[in-house]
Amino acid sequence: MTPEKRAPEQSANGNKNRIGLTVADYRGAKSTLCPGCGHDAITGSIIQAAFEAGIEPHRVAKLSGIGCSSKTPAYFLSRSHGFNAVHGRMPSIATGVSVANRSLTLLGVSGDGDTASIGLGQFLHLVRRNVPLLYIVENNGVYGLTKGQFSATADVGSKAKSGRVNELMPIDVCALAIELGCGFVARSFSGDPKQLRPILKAALSHRGTAVVDVISPCVTFNNHEGSTKSYLNVKEHDAPLHDIFFIPRYENIEVDYAPGESREVTLHDGSRITLKKLGEDYDPGDALRALETIHHGRQEDKFVTGLLYVDPDKEPFEQDLKLVETPLASLPLEKVRPPKEVLDEVMSGLMTGKA
Amino acid sequence: MKASNNDFSIHVATVNGSGSQTANTTLMRAVFQMGVPVSGKNLFPSNIAGLPTWFTIRVSERGYLARTRRNDVLVAMNPETSVEDIASMGPGSILLLNEGVPAPKIPGDRVVYKVPFNKLVEPLVPDAKLRKLVVNMIYVGVVSHLLGIDFEEVDHALTAQLGRKPKALDMNRAAVKLGAEYATEHLKPAPFRVERRNKTADKVLIEGNQAGALGALFGGVTFLSWYPITPSSSLAESLQGYLERYRRDPKTGEATFAVVQAEDEIAAIGMVLGASWTGARAMTTTSGPGLSLMTEFTGFAYYAEIPAVIWDIQRVGPSTGLPTRTSQADLLSTAFMSHGDTKHIILLPATVEDCYTFGMRAFDLAERFQTPVFVLSDLDIGMNTWMSDPFQYPDKPWDRGKILTAEDLAKTAKFERYRDLDGDGIPYRTLPGTDHPLAGYFTRGSGHDEQALYTENPDTYKRVMDRLAAKYETARVAVPPPVIDRTKGAEIGILGFGSSHWAILEARDRLAADGLTTSYLLLKALPFTKEVKSFLESMKVIYVVEQNRDAQMKALLTMEYPELATKLRSILHYDGLPIDAQSIVDQVQEREREGVLSR
Ligand SMILES: Cc1ncc(C[n+]2csc(CCOP(=O)(O)OP(=O)(O)O)c2C)c(N)n1
Ligand code: SF4
Ligand SMILES: [Mg+2]
C-alpha cells in the first residue's frame, strides 16, 4: 500500500487525531490577508500538518517577525502561545524560548524580507546554532506588507508591478542554510499541499533547525506577468525532486517500492521520510549535490522543490549547553539560588584576596 | 591639600599589557590588610598592549574612596608619559623614577628616588620577557619600604594571588625583597607613611561588575545572553565563572543556567525576551553602543509587557568615543528608550553593595512589573576596586510576579492577558507550555486589547496606554527609595546618583569644614519616589551632581517637578575620568558666591 492512499497519522476515529482533537482545535483567528494570498494556503497546510501529527497545541510556541507572512501565526493553533516579534528578529526570540524550555515545539513563520534582508544575520546564526525549530519562510519575492517593494529573494529578471526589473542576485535561503550545516532544508510551493504537508510534519519531527522555504505568491503585488513568483510561473516551473511521504514514529507502516525506486530517511525520533524517485535519483544526504541542484535549478529558471538536504543526527543547540532535564523556566528557587555557604566562601575570598 | 600619613594616593604609570596588575593589587591589598581603607582605580587605554595605563591606589584613613586629582606618590615606569606624569605632581610629593626614563626639571620640594629597575631585575630573571613582568614587583618592594607597608602583609597579598603557582610566587617574592633591599641601602625615608589602623576588619575588596554578577547568581538568573563590550564584559564573564562553579552539577555536568554569546546586542536582548517570556530569569549586559542597538526590542518589551534585566555599564560616547572611560550619560536616552511613549524603571547603583542587591532586585522588579528594568552602572563602579561590607545573603524568596499556572486557570472561567484585575496596572501572564486550554495568548506590540487580540480601536489603544502609565505609577512605591542624609539647619541640598556618591560624600565634608552644611539625597532609582519631591521642596537650592554634559538628571527632575525646577543647579563632570570631590567643592563654592552676589 502506498502512503498517499490514506493519511496514516489519522486515527481510526474519523475526524479526531491520535490525541482526540479535531482540525478545528488547530485553527486560529480569521485571516485578514488578501483573498488568494499564498500565505493563507500555507496556514492551511500548517493546520492540517499539526492536526495529522497529533501535536499538543499547548506544547507549541508560534513565533514570527513582521510582514504579512509573520501575521499568520494568529491564524492557526489558537491554543498555543504566540509571539509576533519585531522585524527580522524572530530567530533571537526563538533561541531564548528554546533554551528556556526545551520541551516546547517551536514553529516560526517569517517572510523573505523578514529573513533575507533585515533578519539575515539572525537567521544565519540561528541555523549555525541549530536551535530546534521549524522555520518557515513564506517567500513571495516582495515586501507584501509595505506594498510591493522587491525583496532580496526576487529573481534576476523578475518584473515588479511598477515595471521595474530586478537585476540583483537573489539570496537563496536554502543554499545559505545548507552552507551553515542546517540538518533539514526543504523547498516547497504554497499551491502544492500534497508536498508541503509531509515536509512540515517531517520538519516538526526534526530535532534541530528545519528550514522550509515555501514559494508563496503575493496576489496583490507580485502575481502579474513578468513576475517569476506569480502563481502561473511557479506552477509552470516547479520541479519536484521526489514525492514525499512522512511516517510518524508511532505508525508501523511498511512502504513497498521496487528496489531503487525510493529512499528512506529515519529521523532522530524514529519517524521516517520516504522519497519516491521522480526521474533522476536524488540523495538528500549530500550537501554538495544539494547546492549544485539549487544552482542548476536557478540557471534553468526552475524552482527545485522537495527535501533538499537532511542530516537527522546533528546535535541541537541545547546539547551544547548541557542543560538539566527540567526546563530552565520551571526551576524552583532552591535549584537556582546557591546556599549561604557559597556566599560566605566568596566573601571570605574577597577579604583575603584569594582567587 | 598635602599628603600625610594614611592620606595620600599612589599613581603607578606603566604600559598596558606589562603585567603590573599583580603588583598593584599586592600594594593595594597590603595597605588594606594594615587596616587602612583603600580604593583602586585603573585608568587604561582602549588597547591590548603598548599604550600607557595608570593605576591609582588611594589610601584614606577617613574612608574616602573617590578619585582624587592629587598625585602624591608617582611610580614613573613608562618613558612615554613620564615627562607629563612628573609635571602633574604637586609640592611635597614623592617620585619613584625608573632610571633612564625621561624627566623634566623637577622642583626642589618634590622628593625624588631614582631606582635602576632594569639593572636590578636583570640578574634575577634571565628570561627577558618574564623580566618585564617581574620588574613591577621591584617597585612593590621599594614603595613598601618607603611608605612603611608591612612586608608580612605584602607577602600575604602576594601569596593569595600566586599561591597556586609556587615558581611564580618565589620569583616575585625575590623581586620584592630586592626592591626592599635596594631602598634600605640607597633611599632616604619618605615624608609620609602608612600606619596600622583597624578600619578594614571584615571588609571586602571587590569590583562592581563582580558584585553585580554575584547579585544575579543569588537572584536565581537562569539565562544570560550578551555581546562583548567594555566595560560590561567583566560582568558577564564573572557571572559565567560563578555559574560554572556553583550552578553546574559536578557529577552530572548538568547546568541550571544557559549563557549564550549572541551575534550582536539586538540578538542578545531578543534572546533575553524570548527566554523570559518563556519563564526564565533572563538578563543581558552591555554598554552605550550596545544599548542603542537594543532600542527597538526594549520598546517592544515595554508594550508587550515582557520582563528583562538590562545592565548598562556606562562609558563615554560611541564606538570610537572613549570606550575605557566613565560617564553617566546614558541616563536620558535610557529613561525613555525606544519608540512611542515609553518610560522605564531604572536602578542606579552607587556602591558595589548596590550592584549586588540590584543584581537580585532587578529580576524581582522586571517580573513583578513585566517590563524591562535597566541597571545603569558605570565603568568607575563596575571595573574599579571598592571596599565594602560583606554582602548579606538574601532574606526573602524571589518575586516572580503574576504568573498563572494550569491549577490557577482551572479555578477561573477566563484568562485575559492584558486585563488589570487588581487595579495596579499589572496584568497576569501565563507561560508557554502551561497545560490548560485557556493558557495560550498571542504576544505582540501595543495593538492589542485586554484579551491580547489585535485591534486598532482608538478607545482600546488609549486604555492600553493608560494602564501602562498606571503600572509605572505603581512602580514608584516598589523601587528602592533614595537614601537621605539631612543636616539640621542646612538649606542647601545635594542630589546625586551612581558613582558620584563617593565624591559627594567627601565634598560635603570639605564644604562643611569651610562652613557650608548640606543635606544629601542619593537617588537609587527611576521613577522618582515621593521622598524625592519632599526633599526638593524642603531645600532652598539643590545641586544636582552628575557625570554628563547635558544635565540629564536635572532635565528629568525638571520634567517631573516643573514647579521646583528653579531651585535646581547643575554640577557637571564629563571629561571621562571619575568625578572627584574637589570638582564638586569648587563648583558649589563658585555658584554659592554667584548666588550671594545676586541675592
Ligand atoms: C524595523 C522595521 N523596519 C521596517 C518595517 C516595515 N516593514 C513591515 S513588513 C516589511 C517587509 C515584510 O516583507 P516580508 O518579510 O517579505 O513579508 P511579506 O509581507 O511579504 O509576507 C517591512 C519593511 C518594520 N516593521 N520594522
Ligand atoms: S499583500 Fe501580498 S503578501 Fe500581503 S496579504 Fe496581500 S497577497 Fe498576501
Ligand atoms: Mg515577502
Side-chain angles (χ1 to χ4, degrees):
Chain A
M1 181 172 108
T2 53
E4 77 255 44
K5 294 239 174 81
R6 60 173 265 201
E9 300 79 358
Q10 273 184 54
S11 70
N13 187 6
N15 46 14
K16 288 205 171 146
N17 65 7
R18 81 188 163 95
I19 58 164
L21 299 182
T22 64
V23 182
D25 296 318
Y26 292 86
R27 295 215 170 96
K30 196 170 160 295
S31 169
T32 56
L33 303 184
C34 307
C37 175
H39 301 349
D40 277 339
I42 301 173
T43 296
S45 286
I46 293 172
I47 292 170
Q48 197 62 34
F51 165 70
E52 287 172 10
I55 284 178
E56 293 179 277
H58 80 272
R59 300 237 59 92
V60 177
K62 311 174 286 182
L63 315 166
S64 60
I66 293 292
C68 297
S69 35
S70 292
K71 287 182 175 187
T72 62
Y75 313 143
F76 58 80
L77 272 72
S78 59
R79 285 198 202 167
S80 307
H81 273 69
F83 197 125
N84 192 179
V86 299
H87 197 19
R89 318 297 179 191
M90 177 257 280
S92 59
I93 296 292
T95 306
V97 173
S98 167
V99 172
N101 189 344
R102 53 198 294 201
S103 72
L104 297 174
T105 297
L106 271 57
L107 201 165
V109 178
S110 177
D112 43 321
D114 200 61
T115 293
S117 291
I118 192 166
L120 190 61
Q122 292 214 344
F123 170 69
L124 296 181
H125 285 276
L126 174 92
V127 170
R128 175 173 173 261
R129 292 194 181 97
N130 201 24
V131 174
L133 143 95
L134 162 53
Y135 190 105
I136 301 170
V137 184
E138 304 192 344
N139 184 352
N140 52 18
V142 289
Y143 292 179
L145 195 59
T146 51
K147 300 187 185 277
Q149 301 84 355
F150 277 129
S151 82
T153 67
D155 301 295
V156 172
S158 190
K159 201 198 269 177
K161 235 180 160 179
S162 63
R164 253 187 68 214
V165 175
N166 173 54
E167 307 287 358
L168 303 177
M169 262 304 273
I171 289 176
D172 190 307
V173 295
C174 289
L176 288 178
I178 293 167
E179 182 62 36
L180 284 160
C182 184
F184 190 108
V185 183
R187 178 167 286 140
S188 190
F189 171 39
S190 62
D192 186 2
K194 207 169 131 253
Q195 181 194 51
L196 180 55
R197 276 185 216 166
I199 289 180
L200 293 177
K201 281 186 277 183
L204 283 167
S205 285
H206 178 66
R207 64 153 192 181
T209 310
V211 172
V212 181
D213 181 40
V214 190
I215 317 280
S216 174
C218 168
V219 290
T220 304
F221 296 111
N222 207 14
N223 202 28
H224 45 273
E225 218 183 301
S227 156
T228 55
K229 288 200 171 69
S230 68
Y231 262 112
L232 224 69
N233 197 62
V234 178
K235 233 183 167 116
E236 261 167 33
H237 295 82
D238 186 358
L241 289 166
H242 33 231
D243 282 337
I244 304 181
F245 308 100
F246 175 72
I247 304 157
R249 70 191 140 74
Y250 47 83
E251 293 279 350
N252 196 8
I253 290 173
E254 287 308 318
V255 189
D256 303 320
Y257 288 121
E261 222 192 345
S262 74
R263 284 175 176 273
E264 190 168 274
V265 181
T266 305
L267 294 177
H268 205 265
D269 69 354
S271 56
R272 288 170 293 154
I273 307 167
T274 304
L275 305 170
K276 183 170 178 288
K277 212 161 94 176
L278 290 175
E280 225 179 298
D281 185 32
Y282 181 79
D283 175 8
D286 182 345
L288 282 179
R289 172 82 189 279
L291 290 171
E292 202 182 340
T293 306
I294 291 170
H295 197 78
H296 284 152
R298 185 161 58 220
Q299 280 176 337
E300 295 161 20
D301 291 333
K302 283 197 299 205
F303 295 103
V304 179
T305 59
L307 183 59
L308 290 162
Y309 179 69
V310 67
D311 173 4
D313 298 321
K314 263 202 81 176
E315 296 267 295
F317 188 45
E318 277 78 356
Q319 215 81 12
D320 211 41
L321 297 168
K322 299 202 175 55
L323 301 178
V324 283
E325 191 64 34
T326 314
L328 296 182
S330 21
L331 290 170
L333 182 60
E334 322 72 270
K335 289 270 186 234
V336 295
R337 173 175 288 168
K340 183 164 182 301
E341 295 72 59
V342 168
L343 185 66
D344 294 342
E345 176 182 313
V346 174
M347 285 299 122
S348 84
L350 295 167
M351 281 173 201
T352 59
K354 217 170 255 157
Chain B
M1 235 177 293
K2 268 184 67 176
S4 57
N5 288 353
N6 284 350
D7 181 22
F8 57 88
S9 69
I10 308 172
H11 244 53
V12 182
T14 51
V15 172
N16 203 22
S18 65
S20 52
Q21 199 190 337
T22 314
N24 297 332
T25 304
T26 303
L27 275 177
M28 179 173 64
R29 283 237 164 233
V31 175
F32 173 73
Q33 288 157 19
M34 287 177 72
V36 182
V38 285
S39 68
K41 292 196 195 295
N42 193 5
L43 183 66
F44 62 106
S46 177
N47 163 268
I48 300 303
L51 288 182
T53 160
W54 295 266
F55 192 80
T56 306
I57 299 166
R58 181 162 187 191
V59 178
S60 170
E61 178 162 347
R62 278 173 292 178
Y64 294 143
L65 305 180
R67 181 175 81 95
T68 157
R69 282 188 262 160
R70 274 165 35 194
N71 189 356
D72 304 314
V73 179
L74 174 68
V75 182
M77 301 296 283
N78 185 359
E80 298 292 326
T81 61
S82 55
V83 172
E84 231 178 288
D85 291 338
I86 294 164
S88 77
M89 295 171 61
S93 55
I94 299 176
L95 168 64
L96 206 71
L97 189 62
N98 188 1
E99 208 174 68
V101 157
K105 208 171 142 359
I106 302 165
D109 55 5
R110 275 77 163 161
V111 188
V112 183
Y113 301 108
K114 263 197 192 150
V115 185
F117 285 106
N118 298 330
K119 229 180 271 161
L120 287 172
V121 76
E122 245 166 67
L124 182 70
V125 189
D127 178 352
K129 232 168 139 187
L130 205 57
R131 214 179 280 153
K132 248 180 51 190
L133 302 176
V134 178
V135 76
N136 297 310
M137 275 309 156
I138 300 186
Y139 72 65
V140 172
V142 176
V143 170
S144 297
H145 173 84
L146 288 172
L147 299 179
I149 301 173
D150 196 322
F151 278 96
E152 221 170 278
E153 303 296 0
V154 171
D155 202 63
H156 272 309
L158 197 55
T159 313
Q161 293 177 82
L162 297 176
R164 290 198 201 128
K165 303 175 192 157
K167 258 172 92 181
L169 181 61
D170 285 349
M171 186 170 288
N172 282 285
R173 270 186 177 147
V176 172
K177 196 160 160 250
L178 204 65
E181 282 167 4
Y182 181 86
T184 317
E185 247 171 74
H186 299 95
L187 309 180
K188 58 179 186 219
F192 48 84
R193 308 166 58 80
V194 181
E195 287 173 350
R196 226 173 235 287
R197 291 289 181 269
N198 191 18
K199 298 199 160 170
T200 65
D202 294 331
K203 304 263 185 204
V204 297
L205 285 180
I206 186 172
E207 297 177 7
N209 282 350
Q210 203 181 349
L214 283 170
L217 176 74
F218 289 95
V221 65
T222 48
F223 185 83
L224 163 70
S225 180
W226 68 295
Y227 187 78
I229 182 167
T230 307
S232 70
S233 296
S234 63
L235 206 173
E237 280 166 339
S238 54
L239 178 52
Q240 185 159 18
Y242 286 131
L243 288 168
E244 287 293 346
R245 188 151 167 192
Y246 297 117
R247 293 266 299 277
R248 190 184 283 289
D249 189 314
K251 278 188 227 108
T252 61
E254 286 176 349
T256 56
F257 66 89
V259 177
V260 181
Q261 188 183 318
E263 56 270 32
D264 57 34
E265 288 86 348
I266 303 178
I269 182 68
M271 290 179 202
V272 165
L273 295 184
S276 64
W277 179 77
T278 308
R281 290 212 128 181
M283 66 179 273
T284 184
T285 61
T286 192
S287 298
L291 195 66
S292 312
L293 286 183
M294 297 183 185
T295 302
E296 186 187 14
F297 254 142
T298 53
F300 176 87
Y302 172 84
Y303 282 111
E305 300 183 63
I306 303 171
V309 171
I310 303 163
W311 280 79
D312 173 27
I313 314 302
Q314 296 170 94
R315 60 182 226 184
V316 175
S319 54
T320 48
L322 306 180
T324 58
R325 301 293 159 86
T326 195
S327 90
Q328 297 181 320
D330 294 344
L331 179 68
L332 209 48
S333 60
T334 307
F336 307 108
M337 193 159 151
S338 210
H339 35 55
D341 285 317
T342 42
K343 38 188 179 179
H344 300 295
I345 297 175
I346 299 179
L347 301 180
L348 301 164
T351 65
V352 286
E353 213 169 345
D354 282 347
C355 291
Y356 170 70
T357 51
F358 292 175
M360 291 181 258
R361 190 88 180 258
F363 283 121
D364 290 346
L365 287 167
E367 294 204 293
R368 169 60 41 186
F369 289 92
Q370 301 175 21
T371 196
V373 169
F374 296 85
V375 188
L376 284 196
S377 176
D378 64 31
L379 182 142
D380 188 22
I381 321 175
M383 289 188 75
N384 286 326
T385 305
W386 300 86
M387 188 179 84
S388 167
D389 284 328
F391 305 155
Q392 296 301 309
Y393 192 73
D395 53 7
K396 274 197 240 118
W398 57 11
D399 179 7
R400 303 231 49 190
K402 300 184 186 180
I403 298 176
L404 296 177
T405 62
E407 294 79 67
D408 298 330
L409 292 168
K411 288 181 222 142
T412 69
K414 62 179 177 189
F415 163 59
E416 292 176 303
R417 169 68 179 96
Y418 294 115
R419 174 81 62 194
D420 178 8
L421 293 176
D422 305 329
D424 56 5
I426 310 169
Y428 286 80
R429 64 178 183 137
T430 56
L431 304 179
T434 303
D435 190 0
H436 193 280
L438 290 178
Y441 71 93
F442 199 82
T443 300
R444 49 165 84 77
S446 46
H448 56 244
D449 63 11
E450 283 78 0
Q451 293 166 9
L453 299 174
Y454 186 71
T455 177
E456 296 179 2
N457 178 294
D459 295 335
T460 312
Y461 193 80
K462 189 162 173 296
R463 262 202 326 269
V464 168
M465 297 297 285
D466 289 342
R467 185 179 54 73
L468 287 168
K471 187 166 87 166
Y472 191 73
E473 290 309 308
T474 307
R476 261 182 225 284
V477 293
V479 298
V483 177
I484 298 173
D485 178 27
R486 284 186 194 272
T487 307
K488 224 172 158 203
E491 297 183 324
I492 307 289
I494 294 183
L495 187 151
F497 62 99
S499 61
S500 308
H501 171 62
W502 298 96
I504 294 172
L505 284 185
E506 192 179 342
R508 289 183 67 213
D509 286 355
R510 285 203 221 164
L511 287 167
D514 281 351
L516 185 77
T517 57
T518 56
S519 288
Y520 174 38
L521 182 142
L522 173 62
L523 195 70
K524 295 280 178 115
L526 291 181
F528 298 124
T529 58
K530 61 178 191 310
E531 293 89 346
V532 177
K533 188 172 186 203
S534 50
F535 181 79
L536 298 187
E537 282 169 344
S538 67
M539 292 290 124
K540 214 166 192 168
V541 164
I542 303 98
Y543 287 96
V544 182
V545 179
E546 46 192 322
Q547 299 180 59
N548 59 61
R549 184 195 63 187
D550 293 340
Q552 299 185 14
M553 183 59 83
K554 182 165 164 269
L556 288 172
L557 289 164
T558 302
M559 281 178 71
E560 186 96 12
Y561 311 112
E563 72 281 10
L564 300 169
T566 51
K567 295 183 173 191
L568 305 178
R569 296 185 193 173
S570 271
I571 303 290
L572 302 173
H573 180 92
Y574 48 92
D575 61 3
L577 301 175
I579 191 170
D580 62 292
Q582 197 59 45
S583 298
I584 299 173
V585 170
D586 290 348
Q587 289 189 62
V588 169
Q589 287 179 340
E590 192 187 317
R591 302 292 289 278
E592 280 300 303
R593 273 196 300 274
E594 284 170 9
V596 169
L597 287 180
S598 65
R599 249 180 238 153

